[in-house]
Amino acid sequence: MRARVDVGQLATLAGTVGVVERRVDTETAAVAGAVGVLARTGGAGACAAVSLAAAARTEALAQLAALRTVVALAADVYAGVEARVVALVGARPAPPRLGRLLAAAQVDDLEALLVAAPALAAAVAAGATSSPGVVDTLTRTLLLPPAVAAREQARTLGRLDPRERRLLALTEPGLMTALVGAPASDRFAASRVLVAADLSRLLQRRALVGAQPRLDARIAMRRRLLDDDVVLRHPDGSTTRHRHQLLVFDPEGDGRVVEVLGDLQRAEHLAVFVPGTGSDLDRYPGSLARMVPFAAADPALAVVLWQDADHPDAPFDDPPPPPDELARPGAAQRYLREHVIAAAYRDAADLAGPALAADVAGLRVALAGPASDLTVLGHSYGGSIVGSAEAHGMVVDRVVHVASAGAYVRDVADYAAPSVERFAMTAYDDPVRLAQGHDAADSASRLRAMLPAALDPLAPAVAGAAVAVVPAPAAIGHGLDPDLLPGVVRLDTGVHADGRLVRGHSGMFAPDSTAWRNLLAVMTRGRVEVLQPGLWSSHLDPLGVDTHLPTGRTDPAVQVHLPRYVIDRTPYSDPGYRAPTLDLGSR
C-alpha cells in the first residue's frame, strides 16, 4: 500500500486557504478598528481583553497565511520526496568495495569491529553498503502511515534470516533505527554503530580544537553508551546487567535518543516515559538515572525512555544571538519563543506528539510478544507531549500525567481513545500548578493572584502589555489541568520513608516515596494509593519579601521570594493515616 497524496489537490487547498484568509481579513476589519478605539479609550480591564482579541485576530490571519504557504510548499516538497525515492529505487549504485568486504564478515565480529573502530563506523554510517533491493523496499515504507509502515517493515524484515537482518542493521544503521517495526535487537545493534560514528566525529573535533569541558563530557558519554553496562539492582538484592539498548540515537541539534531498560523477552508490562523541558542528549543521563530503579523493581517490567523529538529548551539554554542579529525583524521574538519561554508554548508538543504516537504504534508491532499491556507516562512538558500523542491517534492501556504541564486538549473527547485509563499526580506545592489549565486568556487573573495585593490594580494593564509583547499569545498554554480530566484517577504523592511530604516538581522520583510506588504500580497493574483531595489544602503565596535575622548578625537579611504554593493541610499530620487503595489488576 502506498501513501496517496494528490499534488494538484494540495495546490487547490493552498488557493482555498488564501481565499479564506482574505475573507477573514475583510469581514473582521471593521471589528478590528472598533477594538482599537476601545483599547485606546476603555479601562484597564477592557484594554487587556480587547488587546487579547486583537492579538488573536492578527495571529489567526498569520496562521492562515502560514498554512497557505506550508500547503503550497508541501506540494513541492512531496513531489521532490517522491522523485528522490524513485531515483533511489531506480538508480541506486552498486555496493562499494567496503560493502562487499563487510557482507563477507561474521556479524558478531563485524559489530565488535565497528564499535572498537569509530572511524570505520563513521565510514559505514555515511554510505550505503547493503543490498539495494531490501533497502529500497524498506525506504518506501517510510512514506506510509505509522501503523501500516510498522507492519510492512516487520513483514519485509521477517523474510530475512537473522544474519542478513543483523548485517543490514550494521551496514545501514540510520535506516534500521528509523524502522519502528524492526526487531528491537537489530535496532540496538544499529544504534551502537551510530554512537561509535558520532564518537569518531567528536574525537576529530577535539583533535582540531583541543580539550573543552562540554566536548569532553560528550565524548565520555558516548564511550559510556558503548562500553558501560546498565546495572539493575533488584529488591531481592540480586543484580542483572545489560548493555545500553538504544532504539534510536541521533546527535543532530539537541539530540534524540530512545533506550530500553529491562528484558523485552521476559517483560509482561511495557512502560514508555517522556521527560520534560530541557530534555536533550547532554541531560539524558539524568533522565536515565530516574528510570533505572523502575526497571530494576520488577523483572516483568521493561521501561522505554523516550526522547525521540525536540523538547523545548530550558530558559537561556541557548545564549542570545549577537546584537546585530537580534535587531533583525522578528529575531527577538523568535529567540523569546524558542529559547526563553519555549515551555509555555505547544510548539514542541505539536511535533513531538505525532512522533510519539508513531513510535508507540511501531512498538506494538515489533514487541508483539509477552508484554500484555502498555503504559505511557509524561512528566512536566512531557505530559503535554503525551496528550498530543493521544490527540494524534495514540491508543494505549494507561496514561499517567506526572506533574504534567497540561492535557494538551480542551476536551477529553478530542483524544483518539477517550476511554483509556488515565492517572495524574501533582504535589500540592509544585510550581507547575501555576501553568496547569491556564493560558494567555486568563493572564490578568493569574497575575492578580501572583502579585502582592497592593499591586492588584496593575494586573490587567501588565497582562495586556505582556500579551502584546509575547509572540503568538494564542499558542500559549497546554489545555486542561490533567488533575481535572474527566475520569482521571488522582494518585497520592504521599510521603518519604522518614515521613517527610513528597514535595516539588520532581520529588515523586525518589524510590522511597508513596508517589514512586504509585507510578510503579500503574506500570505493573498493581495496587495504587488514591488521593483524597478533601483532606488537602494549599494557597498561592504571591510575590513578596521575607526578612529574617541570621545567627550572629544584628541586621535582618532581606530575600525576595517568587510566587509559590504553600501546603496548609495534609492528612499525613496523622501518623496513622493510610490513603485508600485501588487494585488495578482487578479492573
Side-chain angles (χ1 to χ4, degrees):
M1 175 180 177
R2 288 290 306 275
R4 293 180 173 85
V5 176
D6 189 320
V7 176
Q9 288 180 352
L10 281 175
T12 301
L13 177 58
T16 303
V17 172
V19 172
V20 173
E21 176 193 348
R22 290 189 292 274
R23 183 171 297 174
V24 169
D25 192 15
T26 301
E27 298 296 333
T28 62
V31 175
V35 163
V37 173
L38 183 57
R40 291 191 296 273
T41 60
C47 286
V50 299
S51 294
L52 183 59
R57 173 186 179 271
T58 301
E59 176 66 14
L61 288 172
Q63 288 180 348
L64 283 169
L67 177 60
R68 170 170 45 81
T69 302
V70 167
V71 173
L73 286 173
D76 293 336
V77 170
Y78 184 82
V81 169
E82 279 208 316
R84 287 194 295 273
V85 170
V86 170
L88 176 68
V89 173
R92 189 180 180 91
R97 180 177 299 178
L98 176 60
R100 291 194 297 272
L101 292 174
L102 294 175
Q106 296 294 322
V107 289
D108 290 342
D109 295 339
L110 177 58
E111 181 174 350
L113 174 63
L114 292 174
V115 171
L120 179 59
V124 170
T129 56
S130 294
S131 168
V134 174
V135 172
D136 295 339
T137 300
L138 293 170
T139 300
R140 284 196 294 267
T141 67
L142 300 179
L143 295 174
L144 301 174
V148 177
R151 290 192 291 271
E152 288 295 321
Q153 292 158 11
R155 275 195 287 268
T156 299
L157 292 169
R159 290 193 285 267
L160 303 179
D161 66 47
R163 180 191 179 279
E164 291 175 314
R165 206 173 59 237
R166 181 56 56 87
L167 182 63
L168 179 67
L170 297 175
T171 56
E172 297 282 351
L175 175 62
M176 184 60 76
T177 57
L179 302 177
V180 294
S185 59
D186 293 318
R187 294 178 73 186
F188 297 160
S191 292
R192 285 174 62 78
V193 177
L194 295 176
V195 173
D198 192 50
L199 175 59
S200 174
R201 177 184 67 85
L202 294 174
L203 290 171
Q204 289 177 22
R205 177 165 176 75
R206 189 170 65 177
L208 292 174
V209 303
Q212 297 178 351
R214 190 172 184 181
L215 178 58
D216 288 348
R218 290 176 174 176
I219 290 172
M221 178 193 173
R222 275 47 164 191
R223 284 178 167 151
R224 288 196 298 271
L225 290 175
L226 291 174
D227 301 332
D228 289 0
D229 287 339
V230 176
V231 180
L232 303 180
R233 294 181 171 83
H234 305 297
D236 62 3
S238 64
T239 61
T240 58
R241 295 173 175 269
H242 61 71
R243 293 191 308 195
H244 285 276
Q245 302 175 140
L246 304 185
L247 293 171
V248 171
F249 180 84
D250 183 352
E252 291 298 316
D254 288 339
R256 297 186 296 114
V257 61
V258 179
E259 181 165 359
V260 176
L261 301 169
D263 186 348
L264 289 175
Q265 300 303 314
R266 298 176 55 194
E268 299 172 11
H269 310 284
L270 185 65
V272 178
F273 177 79
V274 184
T277 298
S279 296
D280 58 18
L281 207 49
D282 290 338
R283 294 190 176 101
Y284 178 72
S287 297
L288 182 66
R290 283 181 174 176
M291 290 299 104
V292 165
F294 288 109
D298 190 337
L301 172 67
V303 179
V304 178
L305 176 51
W306 191 90
Q307 288 184 202
D308 195 12
D310 186 13
H311 286 63
D313 286 350
F316 305 107
D317 263 3
D318 291 334
D324 58 331
E325 292 184 22
L326 202 59
R328 293 176 182 172
Q333 285 194 317
R334 283 195 300 274
Y335 178 72
L336 183 67
R337 180 170 182 171
E338 296 172 7
H339 303 294
V340 180
I341 55 172
Y345 290 88
R346 292 183 295 274
D347 298 357
D350 290 341
L351 299 175
L356 175 61
D359 280 3
V360 168
L363 285 171
R364 282 211 179 272
V365 172
L367 304 182
S372 60
D373 62 341
L374 177 58
T375 302
V376 177
L377 308 92
H379 175 234
S380 192
Y381 196 97
S384 186
I385 293 174
V386 170
S388 174
E390 285 205 85
H392 287 90
M394 184 181 76
V395 179
V396 296
D397 298 292
R398 289 173 297 283
V399 164
V400 188
H401 285 270
V402 188
S404 170
Y408 187 79
V409 297
R410 286 293 181 188
D411 189 326
V412 72
D414 293 334
Y415 287 146
S419 61
V420 166
E421 284 189 293
R422 294 188 179 86
F423 303 83
M425 68 162 60
T426 308
Y428 268 78
D429 66 344
D430 190 338
V432 79
R433 294 179 60 197
L434 294 168
Q436 289 176 325
H438 299 289
D439 54 30
D442 66 354
S443 56
S445 62
R446 296 302 292 161
L447 273 173
R448 186 177 289 112
M450 291 188 286
L451 293 174
L455 299 181
D456 278 358
L458 298 179
V462 173
V467 166
V469 170
V470 300
I476 289 177
H478 297 280
L480 290 172
D481 180 345
D483 294 324
L484 303 181
L485 277 174
V488 71
V489 176
R490 294 184 67 181
L491 302 174
D492 196 359
T493 50
V495 294
H496 296 279
D498 60 5
R500 292 176 297 112
L501 287 177
V502 171
R503 293 181 176 272
H505 193 48
S506 302
M508 68 285 298
F509 295 113
D512 70 336
S513 67
T514 306
W516 188 90
R517 291 192 297 273
N518 272 337
L519 292 177
L520 177 64
V522 176
M523 298 180 203
T524 58
R525 296 187 67 192
R527 187 178 294 273
V528 297
E529 296 184 30
V530 180
L531 181 74
Q532 293 183 289
L535 302 182
W536 293 76
S537 65
S538 64
H539 71 275
L540 179 57
D541 187 19
L543 177 73
V545 177
D546 297 326
T547 60
H548 67 282
L549 190 64
T551 303
R553 289 180 55 179
T554 58
D555 55 320
V558 177
Q559 185 176 12
V560 176
H561 71 256
L562 297 176
R564 59 192 178 185
Y565 280 96
V566 177
I567 299 175
D568 301 313
R569 182 166 59 97
T570 164
Y572 288 96
S573 57
D574 176 4
Y577 174 74
R578 295 293 181 271
T581 62
L582 176 65
D583 185 359
L584 303 184
S586 64
R587 286 165 66 110

